[in-house]
Amino acid sequence: LFRSEDVIALVGAKMDQPNILDAIQSAPAVNFDLSISGQLTLTRAGVNGTILTAMKAKAKAVAAAAAAPSKAK
């Protein structure tokens, strides 16, 4: 499970942006705090807009996949 704290740790470790974005996009499950308070925490920790946008996109994709009806028979 990939969380906001994990993103903050990667940014704090000075990992390059392409690898952070790849980690977000390839994570099978995420639990990001994207509330206003959560976004402020991320921004104060140095998470830039590109990474924040990728986090939002991944969270939406995971939520949509979870909400989609199962096609299993």
Side-chain angles (χ1 to χ4, degrees):
L1 184 61
F2 203 40
R3 301 169 303 144
S4 297
E5 295 81 5
D6 300 318
V7 175
I8 290 170
L10 294 175
V11 169
K14 307 285 189 218
M15 181 179 280
D16 61 291
Q17 182 171 296
N19 278 307
I20 295 172
L21 294 173
D22 182 62
I24 292 167
Q25 293 162 353
S26 63
V30 299
N31 185 17
F32 298 136
D33 178 1
L34 297 171
S35 65
I36 297 299
S37 176
Q39 290 181 63
L40 287 170
T41 299
L42 287 159
T43 301
R44 289 179 183 134
V47 176
N48 68 34
T50 301
I51 295 171
L52 191 55
T53 299
M55 292 171 71
K56 289 178 181 180
K58 180 64 177 189
K60 286 179 187 175
V62 169
S70 176
K71 297 196 180 200
K73 292 184 180 183

